[in-house]
């Protein structure tokens, strides 16, 4: 990537009845954002005209037929559909879910075909988006399938990074889902992403226990003793800096997390409750483990305030900046790790 080139940043519109469109438009209502990237929104100019008027914004944009025709210095809108959309803020609507999927599908296709460099996804309603084509717990699983990788939900700020062994898995299924193979795969993904996406060459990672007090030596469940501890020891024997399992109830309150480059939680709420408590409104959800960069804000559709012109844009703006930064780090890493002999060629 040439130094002068701006990152072409794709945006899927999310659930139009939620706050996604508001935070996205308000982010780019600040014209200075165009100094950092070329935004490409997958929706329709007709919908954005309605939203711009509703939120009393002044930004300008141009409609295009495909992302490859995006113009630098402009807000570009790929017209994924032409018809009008009936928006009712705060309501769960399967029809609106269809448009959320159309936007995501078009944005993902452009990402796969390198018409955009990165993808930022506005929040979806996980129920209303369900269909024969979208039968996934959320964005992460859909993108893993489309991009043919093993995804990992990685919640990030400047000072805190939390990855998950399991994400959208029912609590009753957690213990049976966590296996030595899963632990190794997920920890390898985290180590690789810390190296290539965050410039941390020898990551130091903390792992939280599965059971309360990490099982208390088998008194409160045997998974930590029989699965987690032996697997972490195996990785340490290989030279990986992985530590734990730590008791999750005191780990964050004691500020132990500041001693590590990343923390790995066993399940969704074990990781996301402390993350959102410590950083809500400024955190970013990054999908690690894929060939392309995708970020999103750390919150959902917030139907309760949708359309009221009161949504906080900080997390969405952070998601934009993080996507740009991670993309540049990854391109730099690729350049640095190229085979120097292949790069220079052999001289006879």
């Amino acid at each position: 990537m040439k130094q002068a080139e701006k990152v072409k940043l794709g945006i899927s519109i999310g659930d139009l009845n939620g706050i996604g469109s508001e935070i996205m438009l308000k982010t780019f209502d600040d014209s200075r954002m165009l100094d950092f990237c070329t935004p490409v929104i997958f929706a329709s100019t007709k919908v954005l005209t309605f939203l711009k008027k509703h939120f009393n914004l002044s930004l300008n944009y141009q409609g295009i037929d495909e992302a490859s025709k995006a113009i630098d210095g402009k807000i570009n809108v790929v017209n994924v559909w032409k018809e009008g959309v009936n928006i009712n803020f705060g309501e769960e609507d399967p029809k609106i879910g269809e448009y959320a999927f159309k936007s995501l599908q078009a944005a993902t296709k452009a990402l796969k075909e390198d018409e955009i460099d990165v993808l930022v996804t506005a929040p979806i309603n996980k129920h209303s988006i369900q269909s024969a084509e979208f039968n996934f717990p959320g964005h992460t699983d859909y993108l893993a399938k489309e991009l043919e990788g093993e995804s990992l939900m990685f919640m990030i700020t400047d000072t805190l990074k939390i990855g998950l062994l399991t994400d959208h898995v029912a609590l009753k299924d957690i213990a049976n889902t966590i296996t030595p193979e899963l632990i190794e795969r997920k920890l390898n993904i985290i180590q690789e992403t810390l190296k290539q996406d965050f410039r941390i060459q020898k990551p130091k990672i903390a792992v939280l226990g599965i059971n309360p007090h990490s099982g208390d030596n088998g008194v409160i469940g045997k998974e930590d003793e029989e699965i987690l501890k032996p697997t972490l020891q195996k990785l340490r024997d290989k030279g990986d800096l992985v530590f734990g399992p730590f008791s999750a109830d005191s780990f964050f309150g004691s500020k132990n997390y500041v001693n590590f480059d990343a923390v790995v939680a066993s399940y969704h709420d074990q990781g996301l409750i402390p993350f959102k408590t410590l950083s809500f409104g400024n955190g970013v959800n990054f999908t690690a483990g894929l060939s392309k960069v995708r970020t999103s804000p750390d919150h959902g559709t917030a139907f309760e305030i949708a359309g009221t012109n009161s949504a906080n844009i900080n997390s969405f703006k952070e998601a934009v900046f993080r996507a740009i930064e991670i993309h540049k780090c990854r391109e730099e890493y690729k350049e640095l790790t190229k085979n120097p002999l292949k790069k220079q060629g052999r001289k006879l």
Side-chain angles (χ1 to χ4, degrees):
M1 187 177 72
K2 296 176 183 176
Q3 189 68 25
E5 287 182 349
K6 290 179 187 173
V7 173
K8 195 176 287 187
L9 185 133
I11 302 165
S12 60
I13 199 67
D15 193 297
L16 288 163
N17 284 350
I19 65 169
S21 54
E22 177 186 348
I23 57 178
M24 179 268 297
L25 288 174
K26 285 182 175 178
T27 294
F28 289 101
D29 195 40
D30 183 347
S31 61
R32 293 173 299 178
M33 293 298 293
L34 299 180
D35 294 336
F36 301 101
C37 64
T38 300
V40 183
I41 303 165
F42 292 82
S44 81
T45 52
K46 189 176 291 188
V47 161
L48 291 198
T49 298
F50 165 79
L51 293 167
K52 173 184 170 180
K53 183 178 179 181
H54 179 86
F55 294 114
N56 193 28
L57 301 173
S58 59
L59 76 170
N60 295 312
Y61 43 82
Q62 63 170 17
I64 55 177
D65 293 326
E66 55 189 60
S68 61
K69 296 180 180 178
I71 297 177
D72 189 23
K74 303 280 188 181
I75 298 172
N76 301 272
V77 182
V78 176
N79 282 297
V80 181
W81 62 83
K82 300 291 177 66
E83 70 273 12
V85 178
N86 187 24
I87 296 174
N88 294 294
F89 292 113
E91 293 186 12
E92 187 176 301
D93 183 351
K95 189 66 180 174
I96 292 295
E98 290 178 19
Y99 287 107
F101 177 63
K102 286 180 181 180
S103 173
L104 176 61
Q105 188 178 42
T108 304
K109 182 174 183 290
L111 187 65
K112 289 165 69 173
E113 295 175 357
D114 294 322
E115 293 183 351
I116 56 176
D117 296 313
V118 299
L119 174 62
V120 177
T121 59
I124 58 172
N125 179 280
K126 292 180 176 63
H127 183 251
S128 63
I129 198 174
Q130 296 300 316
S131 67
E133 292 182 285
F134 189 95
N135 185 22
F136 301 91
H139 282 115
T140 304
D141 302 271
Y142 172 77
L143 290 167
K145 174 182 174 293
E146 289 296 313
L147 299 173
E148 297 178 341
E150 182 169 7
S151 62
L152 180 136
M153 188 182 290
F154 206 34
M155 308 299 292
I156 59 173
T157 68
D158 285 334
T159 57
L160 178 61
K161 294 174 178 61
I162 300 182
L164 304 180
L165 291 181
T166 63
D167 41 55
H168 296 121
V169 175
L171 199 57
K172 65 181 177 61
D173 298 325
I174 297 297
N176 291 330
T177 302
I178 296 176
T179 63
E181 293 76 21
L182 176 77
I183 296 165
E184 286 194 56
R185 291 202 314 271
K186 295 295 186 180
L187 282 167
N188 285 336
I189 291 171
I190 288 178
Q191 291 186 83
E192 185 60 27
T193 199
L194 288 170
K195 291 175 185 176
Q196 73 168 1
D197 299 331
F198 297 95
R199 300 190 180 103
I200 301 171
Q201 291 309 307
K202 191 66 176 176
K204 184 180 178 185
I205 300 170
V207 181
L208 303 181
I210 299 169
N211 295 297
H213 307 294
S214 299
D216 255 348
N217 296 314
V219 175
I220 313 173
K222 299 186 182 300
E223 290 83 4
D224 294 278
E225 291 293 320
E226 296 179 354
I227 299 173
L228 201 48
K229 286 183 180 180
T231 307
L232 296 183
Q233 186 59 53
K234 178 182 175 183
L235 292 171
R236 283 194 292 272
D237 291 343
K238 283 172 34 183
D240 295 341
L241 300 181
V242 293
F243 301 90
F246 293 96
S247 182
D249 62 348
S250 60
F251 186 82
F252 294 94
S254 65
K255 292 186 168 52
N256 198 7
Y257 66 90
V258 302
N259 298 313
F260 298 91
D261 297 307
V263 180
V264 179
S266 291
Y267 55 93
H268 186 279
D269 284 10
Q270 186 189 61
L272 268 67
I273 288 174
F275 181 84
K276 293 187 177 185
T277 300
L278 292 167
S279 63
F280 193 73
N282 294 296
V284 172
N285 180 2
F286 166 50
T287 305
L290 301 181
S291 59
K292 304 288 185 178
V293 175
R294 173 260 175 168
T295 64
S296 72
D298 68 353
H299 56 74
T301 53
F303 279 161
E304 66 277 8
I305 62 167
T308 63
N309 213 5
S310 61
N312 187 322
I313 71 169
N314 287 350
S315 185
F316 188 88
K317 184 179 282 190
E318 278 297 312
V320 169
F321 284 132
R322 285 291 182 172
I324 296 167
E325 182 183 1
I326 291 168
H327 174 73
K328 289 180 177 179
C329 283
R330 191 173 289 192
E331 291 297 303
E332 179 185 283
Y333 182 82
K334 287 177 184 175
E335 190 68 27
L336 290 171
T337 54
K338 276 182 181 176
N339 185 333
L341 292 177
K342 183 182 288 187
K343 185 177 178 181
Q344 295 172 7
R346 289 182 65 190
K347 293 182 180 179
L348 300 176

